[in-house]
mmCIF file of all heavy atoms in Angstrom:
data_model
loop_
_atom_site.group_PDB
_atom_site.id
_atom_site.type_symbol
_atom_site.label_atom_id
_atom_site.label_comp_id
_atom_site.label_asym_id
_atom_site.label_seq_id
_atom_site.Cartn_x
_atom_site.Cartn_y
_atom_site.Cartn_z
ATOM 1 N N ALA Z 248 -48.750 -22.700 -38.516
ATOM 2 C CA ALA Z 248 -50.131 -22.762 -38.042
ATOM 3 C C ALA Z 248 -50.699 -24.173 -38.075
ATOM 4 O O ALA Z 248 -51.630 -24.491 -37.339
ATOM 5 C CB ALA Z 248 -51.017 -21.827 -38.873
ATOM 6 N N VAL Z 249 -50.136 -25.029 -38.943
ATOM 7 C CA VAL Z 249 -50.639 -26.395 -39.109
ATOM 8 C C VAL Z 249 -49.453 -27.352 -39.053
ATOM 9 O O VAL Z 249 -48.451 -27.135 -39.737
ATOM 10 C CB VAL Z 249 -51.376 -26.552 -40.450
ATOM 11 C CG1 VAL Z 249 -51.971 -27.956 -40.565
ATOM 12 C CG2 VAL Z 249 -52.468 -25.502 -40.600
ATOM 13 N N PRO Z 250 -49.518 -28.425 -38.268
ATOM 14 C CA PRO Z 250 -48.377 -29.346 -38.157
ATOM 15 C C PRO Z 250 -48.024 -30.006 -39.483
ATOM 16 O O PRO Z 250 -48.906 -30.422 -40.235
ATOM 17 C CB PRO Z 250 -48.872 -30.393 -37.141
ATOM 18 C CG PRO Z 250 -50.007 -29.766 -36.422
ATOM 19 C CD PRO Z 250 -50.642 -28.819 -37.402
ATOM 20 N N ALA Z 251 -46.737 -30.110 -39.750
ATOM 21 C CA ALA Z 251 -46.287 -30.807 -40.959
ATOM 22 C C ALA Z 251 -46.702 -32.269 -40.941
ATOM 23 O O ALA Z 251 -46.882 -32.886 -42.000
ATOM 24 C CB ALA Z 251 -44.769 -30.691 -41.079
ATOM 25 N N ALA Z 252 -46.881 -32.834 -39.746
ATOM 26 C CA ALA Z 252 -47.325 -34.224 -39.628
ATOM 27 C C ALA Z 252 -48.703 -34.433 -40.243
ATOM 28 O O ALA Z 252 -49.070 -35.558 -40.577
ATOM 29 C CB ALA Z 252 -47.347 -34.640 -38.158
ATOM 30 N N LEU Z 253 -49.444 -33.355 -40.414
ATOM 31 C CA LEU Z 253 -50.750 -33.436 -41.045
ATOM 32 C C LEU Z 253 -50.685 -33.141 -42.537
ATOM 33 O O LEU Z 253 -51.402 -33.755 -43.327
ATOM 34 C CB LEU Z 253 -51.720 -32.463 -40.373
ATOM 35 C CG LEU Z 253 -53.128 -32.352 -40.969
ATOM 36 C CD1 LEU Z 253 -53.850 -33.694 -40.882
ATOM 37 C CD2 LEU Z 253 -53.930 -31.271 -40.266
ATOM 38 N N THR Z 254 -49.834 -32.227 -42.937
ATOM 39 C CA THR Z 254 -49.883 -31.713 -44.308
ATOM 40 C C THR Z 254 -48.865 -32.329 -45.267
ATOM 41 O O THR Z 254 -49.081 -32.312 -46.483
ATOM 42 C CB THR Z 254 -49.658 -30.191 -44.304
ATOM 43 O OG1 THR Z 254 -48.369 -29.899 -43.732
ATOM 44 C CG2 THR Z 254 -50.735 -29.484 -43.492
ATOM 45 N N ALA Z 255 -47.770 -32.867 -44.769
ATOM 46 C CA ALA Z 255 -46.667 -33.267 -45.656
ATOM 47 C C ALA Z 255 -47.062 -34.360 -46.640
ATOM 48 O O ALA Z 255 -46.552 -34.404 -47.773
ATOM 49 C CB ALA Z 255 -45.464 -33.712 -44.826
ATOM 50 N N TYR Z 256 -47.958 -35.242 -46.262
ATOM 51 C CA TYR Z 256 -48.215 -36.426 -47.083
ATOM 52 C C TYR Z 256 -49.000 -36.136 -48.363
ATOM 53 O O TYR Z 256 -49.093 -37.004 -49.243
ATOM 54 C CB TYR Z 256 -48.925 -37.503 -46.265
ATOM 55 C CG TYR Z 256 -50.436 -37.358 -46.145
ATOM 56 C CD1 TYR Z 256 -51.304 -38.072 -46.977
ATOM 57 C CD2 TYR Z 256 -51.001 -36.529 -45.184
ATOM 58 C CE1 TYR Z 256 -52.687 -37.959 -46.861
ATOM 59 C CE2 TYR Z 256 -52.376 -36.411 -45.043
ATOM 60 C CZ TYR Z 256 -53.220 -37.140 -45.895
ATOM 61 O OH TYR Z 256 -54.576 -37.017 -45.761
ATOM 62 N N ILE Z 257 -49.566 -34.944 -48.514
ATOM 63 C CA ILE Z 257 -50.400 -34.701 -49.707
ATOM 64 C C ILE Z 257 -49.597 -34.133 -50.882
ATOM 65 O O ILE Z 257 -50.189 -33.750 -51.896
ATOM 66 C CB ILE Z 257 -51.587 -33.769 -49.389
ATOM 67 C CG1 ILE Z 257 -51.096 -32.342 -49.105
ATOM 68 C CG2 ILE Z 257 -52.431 -34.309 -48.258
ATOM 69 C CD1 ILE Z 257 -52.204 -31.309 -49.221
ATOM 70 N N LYS Z 258 -48.279 -34.095 -50.783
ATOM 71 C CA LYS Z 258 -47.476 -33.519 -51.868
ATOM 72 C C LYS Z 258 -47.729 -34.202 -53.210
ATOM 73 O O LYS Z 258 -47.676 -33.564 -54.266
ATOM 74 C CB LYS Z 258 -45.984 -33.603 -51.520
ATOM 75 C CG LYS Z 258 -45.552 -32.665 -50.401
ATOM 76 C CD LYS Z 258 -44.070 -32.796 -50.110
ATOM 77 C CE LYS Z 258 -43.641 -31.854 -48.993
ATOM 78 N NZ LYS Z 258 -42.194 -31.996 -48.668
ATOM 79 N N GLU Z 259 -47.971 -35.505 -53.191
ATOM 80 C CA GLU Z 259 -48.177 -36.249 -54.433
ATOM 81 C C GLU Z 259 -49.649 -36.302 -54.850
ATOM 82 O O GLU Z 259 -49.999 -36.944 -55.842
ATOM 83 C CB GLU Z 259 -47.634 -37.673 -54.288
ATOM 84 C CG GLU Z 259 -46.167 -37.746 -53.888
ATOM 85 C CD GLU Z 259 -45.260 -37.046 -54.878
ATOM 86 O OE1 GLU Z 259 -45.524 -37.163 -56.092
ATOM 87 O OE2 GLU Z 259 -44.301 -36.380 -54.450
ATOM 88 N N ARG Z 260 -50.510 -35.636 -54.105
ATOM 89 C CA ARG Z 260 -51.940 -35.644 -54.418
ATOM 90 C C ARG Z 260 -52.190 -34.895 -55.722
ATOM 91 O O ARG Z 260 -51.735 -33.775 -55.898
ATOM 92 C CB ARG Z 260 -52.707 -34.987 -53.270
ATOM 93 C CG ARG Z 260 -54.217 -34.895 -53.446
ATOM 94 C CD ARG Z 260 -54.816 -34.221 -52.205
ATOM 95 N NE ARG Z 260 -56.266 -34.130 -52.258
ATOM 96 C CZ ARG Z 260 -56.943 -33.124 -52.798
ATOM 97 N NH1 ARG Z 260 -56.281 -32.115 -53.346
ATOM 98 N NH2 ARG Z 260 -58.259 -33.105 -52.791
ATOM 99 N N GLU Z 261 -52.946 -35.510 -56.631
ATOM 100 C CA GLU Z 261 -53.166 -34.905 -57.948
ATOM 101 C C GLU Z 261 -54.600 -34.465 -58.191
ATOM 102 O O GLU Z 261 -54.869 -33.670 -59.086
ATOM 103 C CB GLU Z 261 -52.742 -35.896 -59.035
ATOM 104 C CG GLU Z 261 -51.245 -36.201 -59.027
ATOM 105 C CD GLU Z 261 -50.856 -37.159 -60.133
ATOM 106 O OE1 GLU Z 261 -51.771 -37.682 -60.810
ATOM 107 O OE2 GLU Z 261 -49.643 -37.376 -60.326
ATOM 108 N N GLY Z 262 -55.525 -34.970 -57.447
ATOM 109 C CA GLY Z 262 -56.928 -34.623 -57.664
ATOM 110 C C GLY Z 262 -57.818 -35.592 -56.933
ATOM 111 O O GLY Z 262 -57.339 -36.494 -56.234
ATOM 112 N N TYR Z 263 -59.122 -35.430 -57.099
ATOM 113 C CA TYR Z 263 -60.041 -36.267 -56.344
ATOM 114 C C TYR Z 263 -61.373 -36.356 -57.079
ATOM 115 O O TYR Z 263 -61.951 -35.338 -57.459
ATOM 116 C CB TYR Z 263 -60.250 -35.671 -54.947
ATOM 117 C CG TYR Z 263 -60.881 -36.623 -53.959
ATOM 118 C CD1 TYR Z 263 -60.107 -37.557 -53.280
ATOM 119 C CD2 TYR Z 263 -62.244 -36.594 -53.705
ATOM 120 C CE1 TYR Z 263 -60.678 -38.438 -52.363
ATOM 121 C CE2 TYR Z 263 -62.828 -37.462 -52.804
ATOM 122 C CZ TYR Z 263 -62.024 -38.376 -52.137
ATOM 123 O OH TYR Z 263 -62.598 -39.244 -51.233
ATOM 124 N N ASP Z 264 -61.849 -37.578 -57.275
ATOM 125 C CA ASP Z 264 -63.132 -37.823 -57.925
ATOM 126 C C ASP Z 264 -64.111 -38.297 -56.850
ATOM 127 O O ASP Z 264 -63.940 -39.378 -56.267
ATOM 128 C CB ASP Z 264 -62.968 -38.883 -59.005
ATOM 129 C CG ASP Z 264 -64.268 -39.161 -59.755
ATOM 130 O OD1 ASP Z 264 -65.326 -38.656 -59.333
ATOM 131 O OD2 ASP Z 264 -64.211 -39.912 -60.751
ATOM 132 N N TYR Z 265 -65.146 -37.489 -56.606
ATOM 133 C CA TYR Z 265 -66.078 -37.816 -55.527
ATOM 134 C C TYR Z 265 -66.945 -39.034 -55.840
ATOM 135 O O TYR Z 265 -67.657 -39.530 -54.957
ATOM 136 C CB TYR Z 265 -66.950 -36.599 -55.197
ATOM 137 C CG TYR Z 265 -66.206 -35.598 -54.352
ATOM 138 C CD1 TYR Z 265 -65.481 -34.562 -54.936
ATOM 139 C CD2 TYR Z 265 -66.189 -35.711 -52.970
ATOM 140 C CE1 TYR Z 265 -64.775 -33.661 -54.168
ATOM 141 C CE2 TYR Z 265 -65.475 -34.819 -52.188
ATOM 142 C CZ TYR Z 265 -64.782 -33.791 -52.788
ATOM 143 O OH TYR Z 265 -64.071 -32.906 -52.020
ATOM 144 N N ALA Z 266 -66.869 -39.545 -57.040
ATOM 145 C CA ALA Z 266 -67.581 -40.778 -57.348
ATOM 146 C C ALA Z 266 -67.058 -41.944 -56.507
ATOM 147 O O ALA Z 266 -67.770 -42.936 -56.299
ATOM 148 C CB ALA Z 266 -67.452 -41.109 -58.833
ATOM 149 N N HIS Z 267 -65.818 -41.832 -56.020
ATOM 150 C CA HIS Z 267 -65.210 -42.896 -55.215
ATOM 151 C C HIS Z 267 -65.076 -42.477 -53.750
ATOM 152 O O HIS Z 267 -64.386 -43.155 -52.981
ATOM 153 C CB HIS Z 267 -63.821 -43.238 -55.771
ATOM 154 C CG HIS Z 267 -63.799 -43.528 -57.236
ATOM 155 N ND1 HIS Z 267 -64.339 -44.685 -57.773
ATOM 156 C CD2 HIS Z 267 -63.321 -42.807 -58.283
ATOM 157 C CE1 HIS Z 267 -64.181 -44.664 -59.081
ATOM 158 N NE2 HIS Z 267 -63.574 -43.537 -59.419
ATOM 159 N N HIS Z 268 -65.716 -41.402 -53.359
ATOM 160 C CA HIS Z 268 -65.520 -40.821 -52.032
ATOM 161 C C HIS Z 268 -65.857 -41.815 -50.922
ATOM 162 O O HIS Z 268 -66.936 -42.410 -50.901
ATOM 163 C CB HIS Z 268 -66.409 -39.581 -51.896
ATOM 164 C CG HIS Z 268 -66.195 -38.816 -50.633
ATOM 165 N ND1 HIS Z 268 -64.994 -38.214 -50.324
ATOM 166 C CD2 HIS Z 268 -67.031 -38.542 -49.590
ATOM 167 C CE1 HIS Z 268 -65.109 -37.581 -49.166
ATOM 168 N NE2 HIS Z 268 -66.327 -37.780 -48.692
ATOM 169 N N GLY Z 269 -64.911 -41.975 -49.995
ATOM 170 C CA GLY Z 269 -65.159 -42.814 -48.835
ATOM 171 C C GLY Z 269 -65.264 -44.294 -49.120
ATOM 172 O O GLY Z 269 -65.844 -45.041 -48.325
ATOM 173 N N ARG Z 270 -64.683 -44.746 -50.231
ATOM 174 C CA ARG Z 270 -64.830 -46.148 -50.601
ATOM 175 C C ARG Z 270 -63.466 -46.829 -50.739
ATOM 176 O O ARG Z 270 -62.513 -46.245 -51.252
ATOM 177 C CB ARG Z 270 -65.593 -46.276 -51.918
ATOM 178 C CG ARG Z 270 -67.007 -45.697 -51.850
ATOM 179 C CD ARG Z 270 -67.805 -46.061 -53.088
ATOM 180 N NE ARG Z 270 -69.122 -45.426 -53.090
ATOM 181 C CZ ARG Z 270 -70.182 -45.861 -52.419
ATOM 182 N NH1 ARG Z 270 -70.064 -46.932 -51.663
ATOM 183 N NH2 ARG Z 270 -71.341 -45.222 -52.488
ATOM 184 N N ALA Z 271 -63.406 -48.067 -50.264
ATOM 185 C CA ALA Z 271 -62.194 -48.859 -50.439
ATOM 186 C C ALA Z 271 -61.896 -49.001 -51.924
ATOM 187 O O ALA Z 271 -62.795 -49.133 -52.746
ATOM 188 C CB ALA Z 271 -62.374 -50.229 -49.803
ATOM 189 N N GLY Z 272 -60.607 -48.946 -52.251
ATOM 190 C CA GLY Z 272 -60.193 -49.056 -53.637
ATOM 191 C C GLY Z 272 -60.252 -47.763 -54.409
ATOM 192 O O GLY Z 272 -60.090 -47.770 -55.636
ATOM 193 N N ASN Z 273 -60.482 -46.646 -53.729
ATOM 194 C CA ASN Z 273 -60.528 -45.342 -54.393
ATOM 195 C C ASN Z 273 -59.221 -45.109 -55.154
ATOM 196 O O ASN Z 273 -58.147 -45.042 -54.553
ATOM 197 C CB ASN Z 273 -60.729 -44.251 -53.337
ATOM 198 C CG ASN Z 273 -60.905 -42.869 -53.930
ATOM 199 O OD1 ASN Z 273 -60.463 -42.594 -55.041
ATOM 200 N ND2 ASN Z 273 -61.541 -41.982 -53.187
ATOM 201 N N PRO Z 274 -59.255 -44.969 -56.489
ATOM 202 C CA PRO Z 274 -58.018 -44.823 -57.257
ATOM 203 C C PRO Z 274 -57.304 -43.499 -57.018
ATOM 204 O O PRO Z 274 -56.122 -43.368 -57.368
ATOM 205 C CB PRO Z 274 -58.489 -44.939 -58.714
ATOM 206 C CG PRO Z 274 -59.926 -44.506 -58.682
ATOM 207 C CD PRO Z 274 -60.450 -44.978 -57.364
#
Side-chain angles (χ1 to χ4, degrees):
V249 184
L253 176 62
T254 60
Y256 83 98
I257 69 162
K258 290 180 180 178
E259 304 301 321
R260 179 180 182 271
E261 295 181 353
Y263 195 83
D264 182 351
Y265 282 91
H267 308 289
H268 186 63
R270 299 190 185 280
N273 185 336

